[in-house]
Structure formats: structure tokens, C-alpha cells
């Protein structure tokens, strides 16, 4: 049995150094365990916060809707179109001064006064009255190359391309004339465009609108009408805009984005935890354009825009 004595624990008192070593080992072990648990919890939290892949590849019941002015393109499409029309002598210098003043007023005031917007709308319609739709389409192609192509925001363009690459439809939704918006959408490889519909008879503009300009609530109605026709699930769709006037459209979809947002939209987006992207650099980009006021016929204008584009696609 003596040979097995080495198996029997030795009875010896602990020295101060061994006590210190034991306490240190216990403390280190606990600390290591706590750090390991903390790291695991942090990793789990990070995974929980990860944004799932979006847009979802192959989800053809989802679509993306992009505002145009200052969201996809710097400035306002109708202003660039006006420059092109003046260059081609569609109107005189006096009318150009009035047109330019309307732009400057909006940039300085930043307020969409209904009376002022009515004046701006009437001015724009008077310019094209009596001209053929085909003529404006042809000029629009030239104006895009002259004034618009270099003003497309690369960041927003990449967002649109991501939706296209995922197999989803991408639509411009703008108060700009539907003809101009359609040209821009085609040049960017997008699905199509919803825009303000100017009345024409036998291919000639009458100087009147169908409904109202596609602005504010009318945009939301256009998106709603298109979604119903195309079978989109709006909760799976995305919308992008720079303006608080487009909150109705942004609120309609499950994935709203504030792009280069104005002050009111930025505050609203932060309050609702919407995603924000700002592609402007240096001094805040000035707002340029004629934002048409939404009036009593907003619903009619929005629905007419969606129906007109759907018919054109067929």
C-alpha cells in the first residue's frame, strides 16, 4: 500500500504565494468567461442589427419608385427643358425672364405658394400649346444630352441599378412632363416613368392638363394605380425622394428612402427611422425647379399618369 502513497493528497498548508496564485487564477477565469459571453452577445446583437439583403433578388412583386428632380438628377427637368426650348426659339426673352424668375423665387423662398405655382404651370403650358407631341419628344432627346446627362447622381443611379439587377421594375415618378420623364427613364435603362400628363388632341398640345400636375398626393395615387395594375405588393416596394412633398408616396411603401433630403423630410425620416442617403458635397445643393402645386384634381392626375403609361407600354 505504501507504493500507492503518491495517490493520496498531501496535507500541507498553503503558502501566501499559492493563495495569491489561486485567487489570480479564479479572477482571470471569471474575467475570461465574462469577456467571452460579452463577445458572444455583441456578435449576436450585430447579427440582429444586420440589414437583410435588399432589394431581394427575384422578388417580382416588388418595385422601386424614384422621384426625379434633385433625387435622380441635380436640378429640375422642366427647367432644363425650358432652356432647351428657349434655345430653339419656342418663346421670347421676356418669357424666359419670367421663367427664370419663377425658378429663382422657389430657390430663395423654398415655399410652394399655390398662386405662384399656378402661374408657373400656366407659363409652362403656354409654351408648348399648339406644338406637336412628337416635336417635343424629339427635342427632349436633344435636351437630355445637352443639359441632363451630366447631372445624374451616380449614387442614386446605383440604387436604381440594384433594383434592376434584382429583376425588379424601376419607375420614375415626377411632376415633370411624362414625355420628358419617359426619355430620361429610357436613357437610364429604367422600366418607365409616371409624369404630368398634358392634354393633346390629334398629337397636338391643347395647353391644358389631364387632372393636375403629378405632385404630392398625386404621386402616391399614381404609384397605387400602377401597383394595382402590375400586381406589386407595396409593402415590399421601395420609394426614393428628396422632398417632404413626397411623404405621401414614401409612406405608401415598405421601404422609404430620403435621398438628398430637404430639412422637413430629413426630420420626418429621422423620426420614423427611414433610411437617408445624401450624395451632395460641400455647400448644400440649391433646390432648382418648378414644383407644381397639388390641387383638387390630384387623384385624377395621378391615376391618369399611371393609366397613360400602362397603355403606352402595351
Amino acid at each position: 500500500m505504501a507504493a500507492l502513497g503518491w495517490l493520496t493528497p498531501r496535507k500541507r498548508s498553503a503558502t501566501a504565494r499559492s493563495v495569491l496564485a489561486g485567487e489570480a487564477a479564479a479572477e482571470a477565469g471569471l474575467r475570461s468567461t465574462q469577456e467571452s459571453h460579452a463577445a458572444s452577445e455583441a456578435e449576436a446583437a450585430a447579427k440582429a442589427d444586420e440589414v437583410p439583403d435588399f432589394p431581394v433578388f427575384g422578388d417580382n412583386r416588388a418595385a422601386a419608385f424614384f422621384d426625379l428632380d434633385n433625387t435622380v438628377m441635380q436640378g429640375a427637368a422642366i427647367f432644363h427643358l425650358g432652356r432647351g426650348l428657349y434655345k430653339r426659339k419656342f418663346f421670347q426673352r421676356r418669357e424666359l425672364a419670367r421663367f427664370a424668375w419663377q425658378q429663382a423665387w422657389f430657390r430663395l423662398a423654398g415655399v410652394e405658394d399655390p398662386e405662384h405655382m399656378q402661374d408657373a404651370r400656366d407659363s409652362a403650358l403656354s409654351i408648348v400649346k399648339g406644338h406637336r407631341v412628337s416635336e417635343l419628344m424629339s427635342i427632349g432627346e436633344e435636351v437630355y444630352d445637352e443639359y441632363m446627362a451630366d447631372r445624374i447622381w451616380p449614387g442614386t443611379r446605383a440604387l436604381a441599378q440594384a433594383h434592376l439587377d434584382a429583376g425588379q421594375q424601376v419607375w420614375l415618378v415626377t411632376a415633370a412632363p411624362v414625355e420628358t420623364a419617359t426619355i430620361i427613364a429610357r436613357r437610364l435603362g429604367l422600366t418607365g416613368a409616371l409624369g404630368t400628363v398634358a392634354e393633346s388632341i390629334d398629337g397636338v398640345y391643347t395647353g391644358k392638363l389631364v387632372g393636375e400636375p403629378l405632385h404630392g398626393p398625386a404621386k402616391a395615387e399614381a404609384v397605387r394605380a400602377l401597383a394595382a395594375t402590375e400586381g406589386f405588393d407595396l409593402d415590399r416596394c421601395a420609394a426614393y425622394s428628396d422632398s417632404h412633398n413626397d411623404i405621401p408616396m414614401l409612406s405608401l411603401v415598405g421601404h422609404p428612402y430620403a435621398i438628398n433630403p430637404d430639412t422637413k423630410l430629413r426630420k420626418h425620416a429621422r423620426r420614423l427611422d427611414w433610411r437617408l442617403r445624401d450624395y451632395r458635397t460641400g455647400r448644400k445643393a440649391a433646390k432648382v425647379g418648378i414644383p407644381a402645386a397639388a390641387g383638387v384634381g390630384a387623384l385624377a392626375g395621378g391615376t391618369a399618369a399611371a393609366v397613360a403609361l400602362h397603355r403606352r407600354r402595351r
Side-chain angles (χ1 to χ4, degrees), residues 250-279:
L250 294 170
S251 301
L252 194 63
V253 301
H255 302 277
Y257 285 76
I259 305 294
N260 305 328
D262 60 28
T263 301
K264 289 183 179 180
L265 178 58
R266 184 180 294 274
K267 290 180 179 178
H268 187 86
R270 284 176 173 169
R271 186 167 62 252
L272 297 182
D273 199 28
W274 289 355
R275 296 179 187 175
L276 292 95
R277 301 281 179 88
D278 201 324
Y279 300 118

PDB file of all heavy atoms in Angstrom, residues 250-279:
ATOM      1  N   LEU A 250     -43.722  58.163 -50.185  1.00  0.00           N
ATOM      2  CA  LEU A 250     -42.778  57.422 -49.360  1.00  0.00           C
ATOM      3  C   LEU A 250     -43.503  56.592 -48.305  1.00  0.00           C
ATOM      4  O   LEU A 250     -43.089  55.476 -47.974  1.00  0.00           O
ATOM      5  CB  LEU A 250     -41.802  58.393 -48.693  1.00  0.00           C
ATOM      6  CG  LEU A 250     -40.849  59.142 -49.631  1.00  0.00           C
ATOM      7  CD1 LEU A 250     -40.119  60.246 -48.872  1.00  0.00           C
ATOM      8  CD2 LEU A 250     -39.849  58.196 -50.268  1.00  0.00           C
ATOM      9  N   SER A 251     -44.586  57.147 -47.772  1.00  0.00           N
ATOM     10  CA  SER A 251     -45.333  56.447 -46.721  1.00  0.00           C
ATOM     11  C   SER A 251     -46.132  55.271 -47.266  1.00  0.00           C
ATOM     12  O   SER A 251     -46.590  54.424 -46.503  1.00  0.00           O
ATOM     13  CB  SER A 251     -46.296  57.430 -46.030  1.00  0.00           C
ATOM     14  OG  SER A 251     -45.593  58.509 -45.457  1.00  0.00           O
ATOM     15  N   LEU A 252     -46.277  55.217 -48.567  1.00  0.00           N
ATOM     16  CA  LEU A 252     -47.093  54.178 -49.193  1.00  0.00           C
ATOM     17  C   LEU A 252     -46.370  52.838 -49.267  1.00  0.00           C
ATOM     18  O   LEU A 252     -47.009  51.784 -49.332  1.00  0.00           O
ATOM     19  CB  LEU A 252     -47.484  54.635 -50.611  1.00  0.00           C
ATOM     20  CG  LEU A 252     -48.577  53.890 -51.353  1.00  0.00           C
ATOM     21  CD1 LEU A 252     -49.908  54.004 -50.627  1.00  0.00           C
ATOM     22  CD2 LEU A 252     -48.698  54.452 -52.774  1.00  0.00           C
ATOM     23  N   VAL A 253     -45.025  52.868 -49.246  1.00  0.00           N
ATOM     24  CA  VAL A 253     -44.241  51.649 -49.468  1.00  0.00           C
ATOM     25  C   VAL A 253     -43.606  51.155 -48.172  1.00  0.00           C
ATOM     26  O   VAL A 253     -43.540  51.870 -47.177  1.00  0.00           O
ATOM     27  CB  VAL A 253     -43.141  51.898 -50.524  1.00  0.00           C
ATOM     28  CG1 VAL A 253     -43.772  52.339 -51.839  1.00  0.00           C
ATOM     29  CG2 VAL A 253     -42.130  52.939 -50.027  1.00  0.00           C
ATOM     30  N   GLY A 254     -43.125  49.929 -48.229  1.00  0.00           N
ATOM     31  CA  GLY A 254     -42.492  49.347 -47.048  1.00  0.00           C
ATOM     32  C   GLY A 254     -41.056  49.760 -46.853  1.00  0.00           C
ATOM     33  O   GLY A 254     -40.494  49.595 -45.763  1.00  0.00           O
ATOM     34  N   HIS A 255     -40.421  50.313 -47.912  1.00  0.00           N
ATOM     35  CA  HIS A 255     -39.007  50.686 -47.829  1.00  0.00           C
ATOM     36  C   HIS A 255     -38.807  52.117 -48.350  1.00  0.00           C
ATOM     37  O   HIS A 255     -38.412  52.317 -49.498  1.00  0.00           O
ATOM     38  CB  HIS A 255     -38.150  49.705 -48.634  1.00  0.00           C
ATOM     39  CG  HIS A 255     -38.286  48.279 -48.191  1.00  0.00           C
ATOM     40  ND1 HIS A 255     -37.582  47.758 -47.134  1.00  0.00           N
ATOM     41  CD2 HIS A 255     -39.082  47.277 -48.651  1.00  0.00           C
ATOM     42  CE1 HIS A 255     -37.913  46.490 -46.961  1.00  0.00           C
ATOM     43  NE2 HIS A 255     -38.826  46.175 -47.863  1.00  0.00           N
ATOM     44  N   PRO A 256     -39.090  53.127 -47.517  1.00  0.00           N
ATOM     45  CA  PRO A 256     -38.908  54.519 -47.945  1.00  0.00           C
ATOM     46  C   PRO A 256     -37.476  54.991 -47.710  1.00  0.00           C
ATOM     47  O   PRO A 256     -36.851  54.656 -46.688  1.00  0.00           O
ATOM     48  CB  PRO A 256     -39.886  55.278 -47.043  1.00  0.00           C
ATOM     49  CG  PRO A 256     -39.957  54.448 -45.796  1.00  0.00           C
ATOM     50  CD  PRO A 256     -39.739  53.014 -46.200  1.00  0.00           C
ATOM     51  N   TYR A 257     -36.955  55.760 -48.659  1.00  0.00           N
ATOM     52  CA  TYR A 257     -35.614  56.324 -48.557  1.00  0.00           C
ATOM     53  C   TYR A 257     -35.678  57.833 -48.772  1.00  0.00           C
ATOM     54  O   TYR A 257     -36.322  58.304 -49.712  1.00  0.00           O
ATOM     55  CB  TYR A 257     -34.687  55.748 -49.628  1.00  0.00           C
ATOM     56  CG  TYR A 257     -34.214  54.336 -49.373  1.00  0.00           C
ATOM     57  CD1 TYR A 257     -35.059  53.249 -49.583  1.00  0.00           C
ATOM     58  CD2 TYR A 257     -32.909  54.079 -48.951  1.00  0.00           C
ATOM     59  CE1 TYR A 257     -34.627  51.948 -49.369  1.00  0.00           C
ATOM     60  CE2 TYR A 257     -32.459  52.785 -48.742  1.00  0.00           C
ATOM     61  CZ  TYR A 257     -33.321  51.721 -48.950  1.00  0.00           C
ATOM     62  OH  TYR A 257     -32.889  50.436 -48.744  1.00  0.00           O
ATOM     63  N   ALA A 258     -34.972  58.576 -47.937  1.00  0.00           N
ATOM     64  CA  ALA A 258     -34.821  60.024 -48.128  1.00  0.00           C
ATOM     65  C   ALA A 258     -33.470  60.248 -48.797  1.00  0.00           C
ATOM     66  O   ALA A 258     -32.426  59.940 -48.223  1.00  0.00           O
ATOM     67  CB  ALA A 258     -34.885  60.746 -46.789  1.00  0.00           C
ATOM     68  N   ILE A 259     -33.493  60.777 -50.019  1.00  0.00           N
ATOM     69  CA  ILE A 259     -32.270  60.991 -50.793  1.00  0.00           C
ATOM     70  C   ILE A 259     -32.025  62.488 -50.933  1.00  0.00           C
ATOM     71  O   ILE A 259     -32.902  63.219 -51.390  1.00  0.00           O
ATOM     72  CB  ILE A 259     -32.397  60.363 -52.202  1.00  0.00           C
ATOM     73  CG1 ILE A 259     -32.762  58.890 -52.096  1.00  0.00           C
ATOM     74  CG2 ILE A 259     -31.102  60.553 -52.985  1.00  0.00           C
ATOM     75  CD1 ILE A 259     -31.706  58.014 -51.487  1.00  0.00           C
ATOM     76  N   ASN A 260     -30.847  62.964 -50.531  1.00  0.00           N
ATOM     77  CA  ASN A 260     -30.554  64.408 -50.571  1.00  0.00           C
ATOM     78  C   ASN A 260     -31.712  65.199 -49.963  1.00  0.00           C
ATOM     79  O   ASN A 260     -32.221  66.145 -50.572  1.00  0.00           O
ATOM     80  CB  ASN A 260     -30.315  64.879 -52.011  1.00  0.00           C
ATOM     81  CG  ASN A 260     -29.235  64.085 -52.725  1.00  0.00           C
ATOM     82  OD1 ASN A 260     -28.289  63.614 -52.102  1.00  0.00           O
ATOM     83  ND2 ASN A 260     -29.374  63.944 -54.029  1.00  0.00           N
ATOM     84  N   PRO A 261     -32.167  64.824 -48.772  1.00  0.00           N
ATOM     85  CA  PRO A 261     -33.448  65.347 -48.263  1.00  0.00           C
ATOM     86  C   PRO A 261     -33.431  66.822 -47.896  1.00  0.00           C
ATOM     87  O   PRO A 261     -32.410  67.353 -47.443  1.00  0.00           O
ATOM     88  CB  PRO A 261     -33.680  64.488 -47.010  1.00  0.00           C
ATOM     89  CG  PRO A 261     -32.304  64.137 -46.542  1.00  0.00           C
ATOM     90  CD  PRO A 261     -31.513  63.923 -47.799  1.00  0.00           C
ATOM     91  N   ASP A 262     -34.588  67.476 -48.084  1.00  0.00           N
ATOM     92  CA  ASP A 262     -34.753  68.825 -47.577  1.00  0.00           C
ATOM     93  C   ASP A 262     -34.943  68.725 -46.059  1.00  0.00           C
ATOM     94  O   ASP A 262     -35.052  67.636 -45.493  1.00  0.00           O
ATOM     95  CB  ASP A 262     -35.910  69.556 -48.265  1.00  0.00           C
ATOM     96  CG  ASP A 262     -37.265  68.872 -48.083  1.00  0.00           C
ATOM     97  OD1 ASP A 262     -37.458  68.172 -47.055  1.00  0.00           O
ATOM     98  OD2 ASP A 262     -38.136  69.043 -48.944  1.00  0.00           O
ATOM     99  N   THR A 263     -34.958  69.874 -45.401  1.00  0.00           N
ATOM    100  CA  THR A 263     -34.979  69.890 -43.934  1.00  0.00           C
ATOM    101  C   THR A 263     -36.187  69.162 -43.360  1.00  0.00           C
ATOM    102  O   THR A 263     -36.067  68.359 -42.430  1.00  0.00           O
ATOM    103  CB  THR A 263     -34.961  71.334 -43.421  1.00  0.00           C
ATOM    104  OG1 THR A 263     -33.784  71.988 -43.906  1.00  0.00           O
ATOM    105  CG2 THR A 263     -34.935  71.369 -41.899  1.00  0.00           C
ATOM    106  N   LYS A 264     -37.348  69.416 -43.916  1.00  0.00           N
ATOM    107  CA  LYS A 264     -38.568  68.796 -43.392  1.00  0.00           C
ATOM    108  C   LYS A 264     -38.559  67.286 -43.582  1.00  0.00           C
ATOM    109  O   LYS A 264     -38.959  66.531 -42.690  1.00  0.00           O
ATOM    110  CB  LYS A 264     -39.803  69.406 -44.063  1.00  0.00           C
ATOM    111  CG  LYS A 264     -40.087  70.829 -43.643  1.00  0.00           C
ATOM    112  CD  LYS A 264     -41.369  71.346 -44.283  1.00  0.00           C
ATOM    113  CE  LYS A 264     -41.682  72.765 -43.852  1.00  0.00           C
ATOM    114  NZ  LYS A 264     -42.930  73.270 -44.486  1.00  0.00           N
ATOM    115  N   LEU A 265     -38.095  66.835 -44.746  1.00  0.00           N
ATOM    116  CA  LEU A 265     -38.057  65.392 -44.983  1.00  0.00           C
ATOM    117  C   LEU A 265     -37.006  64.732 -44.096  1.00  0.00           C
ATOM    118  O   LEU A 265     -37.241  63.631 -43.572  1.00  0.00           O
ATOM    119  CB  LEU A 265     -37.763  65.086 -46.451  1.00  0.00           C
ATOM    120  CG  LEU A 265     -37.650  63.592 -46.786  1.00  0.00           C
ATOM    121  CD1 LEU A 265     -38.926  62.843 -46.404  1.00  0.00           C
ATOM    122  CD2 LEU A 265     -37.331  63.391 -48.269  1.00  0.00           C
ATOM    123  N   ARG A 266     -35.881  65.399 -43.893  1.00  0.00           N
ATOM    124  CA  ARG A 266     -34.838  64.819 -43.039  1.00  0.00           C
ATOM    125  C   ARG A 266     -35.367  64.595 -41.618  1.00  0.00           C
ATOM    126  O   ARG A 266     -35.159  63.536 -41.019  1.00  0.00           O
ATOM    127  CB  ARG A 266     -33.611  65.742 -43.008  1.00  0.00           C
ATOM    128  CG  ARG A 266     -32.433  65.161 -42.215  1.00  0.00           C
ATOM    129  CD  ARG A 266     -31.265  66.132 -42.222  1.00  0.00           C
ATOM    130  NE  ARG A 266     -30.732  66.281 -43.558  1.00  0.00           N
ATOM    131  CZ  ARG A 266     -29.818  65.484 -44.093  1.00  0.00           C
ATOM    132  NH1 ARG A 266     -29.350  64.462 -43.390  1.00  0.00           N
ATOM    133  NH2 ARG A 266     -29.356  65.699 -45.307  1.00  0.00           N
ATOM    134  N   LYS A 267     -36.078  65.591 -41.091  1.00  0.00           N
ATOM    135  CA  LYS A 267     -36.634  65.460 -39.741  1.00  0.00           C
ATOM    136  C   LYS A 267     -37.671  64.339 -39.688  1.00  0.00           C
ATOM    137  O   LYS A 267     -37.704  63.546 -38.747  1.00  0.00           O
ATOM    138  CB  LYS A 267     -37.263  66.789 -39.308  1.00  0.00           C
ATOM    139  CG  LYS A 267     -36.250  67.894 -39.044  1.00  0.00           C
ATOM    140  CD  LYS A 267     -36.954  69.180 -38.625  1.00  0.00           C
ATOM    141  CE  LYS A 267     -35.954  70.285 -38.333  1.00  0.00           C
ATOM    142  NZ  LYS A 267     -36.624  71.562 -37.971  1.00  0.00           N
ATOM    143  N   HIS A 268     -38.511  64.299 -40.702  1.00  0.00           N
ATOM    144  CA  HIS A 268     -39.554  63.270 -40.748  1.00  0.00           C
ATOM    145  C   HIS A 268     -38.933  61.879 -40.846  1.00  0.00           C
ATOM    146  O   HIS A 268     -39.359  60.939 -40.161  1.00  0.00           O
ATOM    147  CB  HIS A 268     -40.466  63.526 -41.949  1.00  0.00           C
ATOM    148  CG  HIS A 268     -41.666  62.642 -42.021  1.00  0.00           C
ATOM    149  ND1 HIS A 268     -42.843  62.929 -41.363  1.00  0.00           N
ATOM    150  CD2 HIS A 268     -41.874  61.457 -42.668  1.00  0.00           C
ATOM    151  CE1 HIS A 268     -43.725  61.968 -41.603  1.00  0.00           C
ATOM    152  NE2 HIS A 268     -43.156  61.066 -42.391  1.00  0.00           N
ATOM    153  N   ALA A 269     -37.913  61.753 -41.696  1.00  0.00           N
ATOM    154  CA  ALA A 269     -37.260  60.458 -41.899  1.00  0.00           C
ATOM    155  C   ALA A 269     -36.572  59.978 -40.626  1.00  0.00           C
ATOM    156  O   ALA A 269     -36.633  58.797 -40.276  1.00  0.00           O
ATOM    157  CB  ALA A 269     -36.256  60.560 -43.043  1.00  0.00           C
ATOM    158  N   ARG A 270     -35.926  60.888 -39.921  1.00  0.00           N
ATOM    159  CA  ARG A 270     -35.252  60.509 -38.677  1.00  0.00           C
ATOM    160  C   ARG A 270     -36.266  60.090 -37.610  1.00  0.00           C
ATOM    161  O   ARG A 270     -36.027  59.153 -36.852  1.00  0.00           O
ATOM    162  CB  ARG A 270     -34.403  61.669 -38.179  1.00  0.00           C
ATOM    163  CG  ARG A 270     -33.095  61.839 -38.967  1.00  0.00           C
ATOM    164  CD  ARG A 270     -32.326  63.040 -38.508  1.00  0.00           C
ATOM    165  NE  ARG A 270     -31.009  63.106 -39.147  1.00  0.00           N
ATOM    166  CZ  ARG A 270     -30.209  64.160 -39.100  1.00  0.00           C
ATOM    167  NH1 ARG A 270     -30.597  65.258 -38.456  1.00  0.00           N
ATOM    168  NH2 ARG A 270     -29.029  64.132 -39.701  1.00  0.00           N
ATOM    169  N   ARG A 271     -37.373  60.782 -37.580  1.00  0.00           N
ATOM    170  CA  ARG A 271     -38.397  60.465 -36.587  1.00  0.00           C
ATOM    171  C   ARG A 271     -38.985  59.070 -36.823  1.00  0.00           C
ATOM    172  O   ARG A 271     -39.283  58.342 -35.861  1.00  0.00           O
ATOM    173  CB  ARG A 271     -39.508  61.518 -36.628  1.00  0.00           C
ATOM    174  CG  ARG A 271     -40.551  61.349 -35.518  1.00  0.00           C
ATOM    175  CD  ARG A 271     -41.439  62.561 -35.393  1.00  0.00           C
ATOM    176  NE  ARG A 271     -42.215  62.830 -36.582  1.00  0.00           N
ATOM    177  CZ  ARG A 271     -42.000  63.833 -37.427  1.00  0.00           C
ATOM    178  NH1 ARG A 271     -41.001  64.696 -37.193  1.00  0.00           N
ATOM    179  NH2 ARG A 271     -42.758  64.018 -38.496  1.00  0.00           N
ATOM    180  N   LEU A 272     -39.107  58.685 -38.088  1.00  0.00           N
ATOM    181  CA  LEU A 272     -39.698  57.383 -38.419  1.00  0.00           C
ATOM    182  C   LEU A 272     -38.638  56.318 -38.712  1.00  0.00           C
ATOM    183  O   LEU A 272     -38.980  55.201 -39.118  1.00  0.00           O
ATOM    184  CB  LEU A 272     -40.631  57.525 -39.622  1.00  0.00           C
ATOM    185  CG  LEU A 272     -41.850  58.431 -39.415  1.00  0.00           C
ATOM    186  CD1 LEU A 272     -42.723  58.445 -40.666  1.00  0.00           C
ATOM    187  CD2 LEU A 272     -42.674  57.974 -38.212  1.00  0.00           C
ATOM    188  N   ASP A 273     -37.368  56.684 -38.534  1.00  0.00           N
ATOM    189  CA  ASP A 273     -36.259  55.753 -38.756  1.00  0.00           C
ATOM    190  C   ASP A 273     -36.194  55.273 -40.200  1.00  0.00           C
ATOM    191  O   ASP A 273     -35.894  54.109 -40.481  1.00  0.00           O
ATOM    192  CB  ASP A 273     -36.366  54.554 -37.799  1.00  0.00           C
ATOM    193  CG  ASP A 273     -35.038  53.808 -37.658  1.00  0.00           C
ATOM    194  OD1 ASP A 273     -33.990  54.453 -37.829  1.00  0.00           O
ATOM    195  OD2 ASP A 273     -35.056  52.590 -37.382  1.00  0.00           O
ATOM    196  N   TRP A 274     -36.489  56.186 -41.151  1.00  0.00           N
ATOM    197  CA  TRP A 274     -36.306  55.869 -42.559  1.00  0.00           C
ATOM    198  C   TRP A 274     -34.825  55.993 -42.900  1.00  0.00           C
ATOM    199  O   TRP A 274     -34.083  56.725 -42.239  1.00  0.00           O
ATOM    200  CB  TRP A 274     -37.092  56.843 -43.443  1.00  0.00           C
ATOM    201  CG  TRP A 274     -38.574  56.657 -43.383  1.00  0.00           C
ATOM    202  CD1 TRP A 274     -39.267  55.687 -42.719  1.00  0.00           C
ATOM    203  CD2 TRP A 274     -39.550  57.499 -44.019  1.00  0.00           C
ATOM    204  NE1 TRP A 274     -40.617  55.853 -42.903  1.00  0.00           N
ATOM    205  CE2 TRP A 274     -40.824  56.958 -43.690  1.00  0.00           C
ATOM    206  CE3 TRP A 274     -39.483  58.630 -44.817  1.00  0.00           C
ATOM    207  CZ2 TRP A 274     -42.006  57.529 -44.147  1.00  0.00           C
ATOM    208  CZ3 TRP A 274     -40.654  59.204 -45.278  1.00  0.00           C
ATOM    209  CH2 TRP A 274     -41.904  58.652 -44.949  1.00  0.00           C
ATOM    210  N   ARG A 275     -34.405  55.312 -43.925  1.00  0.00           N
ATOM    211  CA  ARG A 275     -33.012  55.399 -44.347  1.00  0.00           C
ATOM    212  C   ARG A 275     -32.769  56.701 -45.098  1.00  0.00           C
ATOM    213  O   ARG A 275     -33.618  57.160 -45.858  1.00  0.00           O
ATOM    214  CB  ARG A 275     -32.648  54.209 -45.233  1.00  0.00           C
ATOM    215  CG  ARG A 275     -32.726  52.872 -44.489  1.00  0.00           C
ATOM    216  CD  ARG A 275     -32.385  51.728 -45.405  1.00  0.00           C
ATOM    217  NE  ARG A 275     -32.629  50.454 -44.748  1.00  0.00           N
ATOM    218  CZ  ARG A 275     -32.502  49.279 -45.355  1.00  0.00           C
ATOM    219  NH1 ARG A 275     -32.148  49.230 -46.617  1.00  0.00           N
ATOM    220  NH2 ARG A 275     -32.732  48.164 -44.692  1.00  0.00           N
ATOM    221  N   LEU A 276     -31.575  57.261 -44.881  1.00  0.00           N
ATOM    222  CA  LEU A 276     -31.207  58.514 -45.529  1.00  0.00           C
ATOM    223  C   LEU A 276     -29.915  58.320 -46.321  1.00  0.00           C
ATOM    224  O   LEU A 276     -28.996  57.642 -45.868  1.00  0.00           O
ATOM    225  CB  LEU A 276     -31.008  59.636 -44.507  1.00  0.00           C
ATOM    226  CG  LEU A 276     -32.235  60.133 -43.758  1.00  0.00           C
ATOM    227  CD1 LEU A 276     -32.364  59.433 -42.421  1.00  0.00           C
ATOM    228  CD2 LEU A 276     -32.144  61.643 -43.539  1.00  0.00           C
ATOM    229  N   ARG A 277     -29.863  58.934 -47.477  1.00  0.00           N
ATOM    230  CA  ARG A 277     -28.647  58.969 -48.289  1.00  0.00           C
ATOM    231  C   ARG A 277     -28.491  60.398 -48.803  1.00  0.00           C
ATOM    232  O   ARG A 277     -29.449  60.993 -49.284  1.00  0.00           O
ATOM    233  CB  ARG A 277     -28.745  58.021 -49.489  1.00  0.00           C
ATOM    234  CG  ARG A 277     -28.991  56.546 -49.138  1.00  0.00           C
ATOM    235  CD  ARG A 277     -27.727  55.858 -48.693  1.00  0.00           C
ATOM    236  NE  ARG A 277     -27.988  54.462 -48.339  1.00  0.00           N
ATOM    237  CZ  ARG A 277     -27.959  53.454 -49.202  1.00  0.00           C
ATOM    238  NH1 ARG A 277     -27.709  53.688 -50.474  1.00  0.00           N
ATOM    239  NH2 ARG A 277     -28.188  52.218 -48.790  1.00  0.00           N
ATOM    240  N   ASP A 278     -27.274  60.928 -48.694  1.00  0.00           N
ATOM    241  CA  ASP A 278     -27.036  62.288 -49.195  1.00  0.00           C
ATOM    242  C   ASP A 278     -25.801  62.255 -50.073  1.00  0.00           C
ATOM    243  O   ASP A 278     -24.698  61.978 -49.603  1.00  0.00           O
ATOM    244  CB  ASP A 278     -26.850  63.267 -48.031  1.00  0.00           C
ATOM    245  CG  ASP A 278     -27.111  64.702 -48.461  1.00  0.00           C
ATOM    246  OD1 ASP A 278     -26.769  65.030 -49.607  1.00  0.00           O
ATOM    247  OD2 ASP A 278     -27.660  65.483 -47.657  1.00  0.00           O
ATOM    248  N   TYR A 279     -25.993  62.517 -51.350  1.00  0.00           N
ATOM    249  CA  TYR A 279     -24.907  62.456 -52.314  1.00  0.00           C
ATOM    250  C   TYR A 279     -24.344  63.838 -52.641  1.00  0.00           C
ATOM    251  O   TYR A 279     -23.482  63.972 -53.516  1.00  0.00           O
ATOM    252  CB  TYR A 279     -25.392  61.776 -53.600  1.00  0.00           C
ATOM    253  CG  TYR A 279     -25.870  60.367 -53.355  1.00  0.00           C
ATOM    254  CD1 TYR A 279     -27.191  60.013 -53.600  1.00  0.00           C
ATOM    255  CD2 TYR A 279     -25.015  59.396 -52.852  1.00  0.00           C
ATOM    256  CE1 TYR A 279     -27.639  58.715 -53.358  1.00  0.00           C
ATOM    257  CE2 TYR A 279     -25.449  58.107 -52.605  1.00  0.00           C
ATOM    258  CZ  TYR A 279     -26.760  57.782 -52.865  1.00  0.00           C
ATOM    259  OH  TYR A 279     -27.206  56.503 -52.625  1.00  0.00           O
TER     260      TYR A 279
END
